[in-house]
Amino acid sequence: MSRTVSVLLMAAVLAVAGALPATAQTQSTAPTANAGTRLNFPASLGGATFERSVNYAAPPANNPGQGTAYYYSTPKRLTISVQVFDLGRRVPAGSDNPVVTGQFNAEVSSAEQQFKHAGYTSFQKPSVPSSCTYGAVTFRCLTYSGLTQANSRVYSKLLLTGFRDHFIKIRVDWAQSHQQTAGDADAALQAFVPALMR
């Protein structure tokens, strides 16, 4: 993952945890439909509200392989991000092929480094990822967390699959300090993912 993408993703996590204002994040416009996957990103999706998009092919990132990220918020103030990207190659369909497995491992390693660079401590994750199915789509998935300097735990659930020659990475972020739970995150994904990936 590029440093620019890592910084942007960590800014999103910090904004959820209340450590940074959401406006500190780099924004750029992206189409509401992704041509490669034919996925649509409307103003409302599965009960979540569209907030912004980041087109990594545009300045300042200038990295077409990183694709586009779309950010939504739920009524319970959880953040859901969807990144559609291909890293300049064709991605096989499904969640258990070597290409997706390798990218998933890279994403988890990057997340751990981002947490450390942000000053979070006590990074926790299961030793083995699992499979999560939402609607008709199965993802490789894992929930990880860390402690903020205020000793409050922040969480992210990471989902990754290959879909129509692209990686589809979905992440939901929540924070202990906002009285948000893993149950809230799963309910949000149960509504959001099937609405997106019809």
Side-chain angles (χ1 to χ4, degrees):
M1 179 182 298
S2 74
R3 175 151 171 73
T4 302
V5 174
S6 295
V7 168
L8 290 170
L9 292 175
M10 184 46 54
V13 170
L14 291 173
V16 167
L20 285 177
T23 56
Q25 301 166 36
T26 303
Q27 296 186 41
S28 61
T29 57
T32 58
N34 180 273
T37 60
R38 300 182 302 281
L39 294 177
N40 291 303
F41 296 90
S44 179
L45 189 61
T49 303
F50 179 80
E51 296 291 337
R52 64 189 179 84
S53 60
V54 177
N55 181 356
Y56 294 115
N62 295 318
N63 191 342
Q66 291 293 336
T68 306
Y70 303 85
Y71 294 85
Y72 284 79
S73 62
T74 72
K76 291 195 174 191
R77 300 183 329 165
L78 282 76
T79 301
I80 299 174
S81 63
V82 180
Q83 185 177 357
V84 180
F85 63 108
D86 63 11
L87 298 178
R89 62 183 172 187
R90 184 187 167 282
V91 179
S95 63
D96 59 358
N97 63 71
V99 173
V100 170
T101 299
Q103 184 61 30
F104 186 84
N105 293 338
E107 297 286 346
V108 173
S109 295
S110 179
E112 185 169 2
Q113 291 304 311
Q114 292 167 29
F115 268 49
K116 287 178 181 176
H117 289 305
Y120 290 12
T121 59
S122 300
F123 184 84
Q124 295 179 354
K125 67 176 178 61
S127 57
V128 178
S130 58
S131 293
C132 301
T133 301
Y134 296 97
V137 182
T138 300
F139 297 85
R140 192 165 192 81
C141 63
L142 182 126
T143 299
Y144 54 88
S145 67
L147 283 176
T148 67
Q149 293 175 353
N151 205 34
S152 175
R153 194 157 283 279
V154 293
Y155 299 86
S156 291
K157 184 169 187 176
L158 174 66
L159 313 173
L160 187 73
T161 196
F163 183 79
R164 297 179 183 158
D165 299 332
H166 292 74
F167 293 109
I168 305 295
K169 180 174 74 172
I170 300 175
R171 199 182 73 217
V172 60
D173 302 322
W174 68 99
Q176 186 179 50
S177 62
H178 293 165
Q179 288 78 49
Q180 299 162 331
T181 67
D184 295 332
D186 198 57
L189 290 172
Q190 290 287 359
F192 183 87
V193 177
L196 172 65
M197 302 182 76
R198 299 178 199 208

